Amino acid sequence: MKQLILGTVQLGLDYGINNKKGKPSSEKAFDILNTAHDNGINLVDTASAYGDSEKIIGNFIKDTKKNFKISTKIPKLNFDKDILEQVKISFENSINNLKVSVIEYYLFHNFNDLVLKPETIDYLCKLKSEGVINNIGVSIYDVPELELILKEYKDLINFIQIPFNIFDQRWIKGNLLENAKEAGIEIGARSVYLQGLFFADKRKMDKIHSKTFYYVSKLNELCKLKNISKEEALFSYVKEQLFIDYILIGCENKEQLEQNIKIFNKEVKFTNIERECICNNFSDIEKDIIDPRRWKY
Ligand SMILES: NC(=O)c1ccc[n+]([C@@H]2O[C@H](COP(=O)([O-])OP(=O)(O)OC[C@H]3O[C@@H](n4cnc5c(N)ncnc54)[C@H](OP(=O)(O)O)[C@@H]3O)[C@@H](O)[C@H]2O)c1
């Protein structure tokens, strides 16, 4: 059974391609967290790089006494400075901001920090043996990163967070996710809505890539034929993936969260013909579209 994780970059930064209002006020951020908690979401994803997101979550936990398990991330390390000192300070800051004593998932935000600075993973293993973090994870963007994790780090890494959506099917070519599961690694999927790109206007889509609108139109046609909303199609596609344990959802207000929870709980299944159509239309989409780090808008 897949679980939802509340993504909270939206609580600490102006985030998302269609974002007009900026980050929500503390009151509205509390509404989002309350809605998540009241609907049984017990894990939130944050990072020290997400503005004051960690502090907002910590204040919420302190004020309401409503608890969440936490997934947070080490910021990109500065290789010119003392590496272990940075990891140590970052961990202490996160614990203080979040007002928790244990971090459920502690992630490398930057894959290269895991690979190029091996002392960091040793330090995280020490934190794990002390019981102050429960799982070590990595946030990744590309397939070769997962291949390397499976080759070199599968005994040390417990969790990976990958971008995954109907336009980003790179991960299901071959047995990568299956192999990760066999190695005991849990998998969280983010970017189900591609930061909102699926709902952007044509002008914005064209700025990202000349073919974005074409692909989104194909998706719209599929939704019309199946008589489902685009949100339902996007969620159902990720929900159908056998090896994904968690789906992250990022929201700017509690209404979006309520809508997403409703969609998540709805049973929508694709037929084999629809799956074939999804594969034919969307399995090789340009990297400039599926990787938000390349966007200019
Ligand atoms: N490297 C990393 O580790 C990394 C990177 C990115 C994100 N994350 C994590 O993943 C979480 C999710 O971020 P994401 O990039 O994956 O975003 P996403 O979930 O693909 O998209 C979220 C955006 O979609 C829009 N949206 C949400 N619900 C909607 C609805 N029902 N109808 C229409 N639009 C809706 C909102 O933007 P608008 O209202 O502006 O359209 C929202 O900001 C973040 O909060 C963060 O915790 C991690």
Side-chain angles (χ1 to χ4, degrees):
M1 180 63 180
K2 290 185 185 19
Q3 283 183 47
L4 286 177
I5 301 182
L6 177 69
T8 64
V9 64
Q10 289 81 357
L11 304 192
L13 297 173
D14 298 346
Y15 183 88
I17 190 163
N18 304 316
N19 188 330
K20 290 189 186 80
K21 292 191 176 157
K23 72 178 191 119
S25 62
S26 302
E27 197 182 309
K28 292 213 160 111
F30 271 37
D31 283 345
I32 293 174
L33 291 163
N34 253 319
T35 304
H37 194 274
D38 295 349
N39 282 280
I41 298 176
N42 65 4
L43 185 56
V44 292
D45 176 78
T46 182
S48 40
Y50 295 166
D52 54 358
S53 165
E54 284 189 331
K55 278 195 177 144
I56 291 166
I57 296 165
N59 290 340
F60 176 84
I61 291 174
K62 188 179 96 196
D63 292 359
T64 63
K65 310 273 180 293
K66 293 183 180 179
N67 281 323
F68 283 111
K69 286 183 183 166
I70 304 290
S71 161
T72 192
K73 312 186 191 80
I74 308 167
K76 189 174 190 300
L77 298 169
N78 179 345
F79 287 5
D80 295 329
K81 291 189 177 160
D82 186 326
I83 293 297
L84 283 186
E85 193 59 16
Q86 289 174 70
V87 180
K88 198 167 165 263
I89 290 175
S90 153
F91 177 73
E92 278 163 11
N93 285 343
S94 289
I95 287 271
N96 290 335
N97 288 337
L98 289 157
K99 302 179 178 63
V100 293
S101 49
V102 179
I103 304 279
E104 189 62 27
Y105 296 93
Y106 200 41
L107 274 62
F108 287 90
H109 213 153
N110 184 34
F111 178 73
N112 277 342
D113 294 344
L114 162 70
V115 179
L116 301 178
K117 296 291 169 191
E119 62 270 39
T120 49
I121 187 101
D122 294 341
Y123 187 76
L124 296 199
C125 288
K126 184 174 126 350
L127 292 178
K128 197 175 157 190
S129 69
E130 288 166 4
V132 287
I133 65 176
N134 281 337
N135 297 282
I136 300 171
V138 201
S139 166
I140 55 176
Y141 280 90
D142 291 311
V143 166
E145 295 171 343
L146 179 52
E147 287 167 343
L148 191 64
I149 289 169
L150 293 176
K151 197 162 158 242
E152 306 276 343
Y153 302 99
K154 68 175 182 204
D155 297 330
L156 299 171
I157 295 297
N158 316 116
F159 178 79
I160 50 161
Q161 194 196 98
I162 59 171
F164 192 106
N165 57 66
I166 211 163
F167 281 4
D168 189 352
Q169 303 179 16
R170 296 169 294 162
W171 309 92
I172 49 173
K173 293 173 187 159
N175 298 327
L176 264 186
L177 296 185
E178 191 175 353
N179 293 343
K181 288 300 298 170
E182 266 170 24
I185 298 174
E186 289 188 291
I187 302 167
R190 67 170 184 268
S191 290
V192 174
Y193 288 156
L194 252 181
Q195 294 189 16
L197 179 65
F198 291 105
F199 310 102
D201 59 40
K202 182 172 182 307
R203 191 188 55 84
K204 265 192 196 145
M205 286 191 199
D206 289 345
K207 273 194 160 180
I208 304 287
H209 192 280
S210 56
K211 283 184 80 180
T212 320
F213 183 71
Y214 165 79
Y215 292 124
V216 175
S217 303
K218 285 266 165 215
L219 177 59
N220 291 341
E221 277 169 30
L222 174 80
C223 295
K224 201 168 167 199
L225 276 173
K226 198 172 170 58
N227 198 20
I228 57 172
S229 68
K230 198 150 53 181
E231 291 89 332
E232 283 168 348
L234 294 168
F235 251 106
S236 308
Y237 180 74
V238 182
K239 258 177 79 178
E240 278 200 7
Q241 307 303 321
L242 215 56
F243 303 110
I244 286 176
D245 302 289
Y246 295 101
I247 304 181
L248 276 94
I249 40 170
C251 310
E252 279 163 26
N253 51 57
K254 80 171 186 146
E255 288 74 23
Q256 273 183 349
L257 178 57
E258 281 164 351
Q259 189 192 357
N260 292 337
I261 292 169
K262 214 160 141 193
I263 294 165
F264 175 77
N265 289 327
K266 206 165 163 182
E267 209 41 57
V268 180
K269 286 255 173 275
F270 290 113
T271 63
N272 284 342
I273 294 173
E274 286 161 351
R275 282 189 199 113
E276 212 177 303
C277 164
I278 289 171
C279 180
N280 290 340
N281 281 312
F282 308 131
S283 67
D284 277 309
I285 291 196
E286 288 75 0
K287 200 110 188 281
D288 283 345
I289 298 176
I290 58 176
D291 187 342
R293 291 174 305 176
R294 296 175 174 229
W295 294 355
K296 289 184 189 72
Y297 60 89

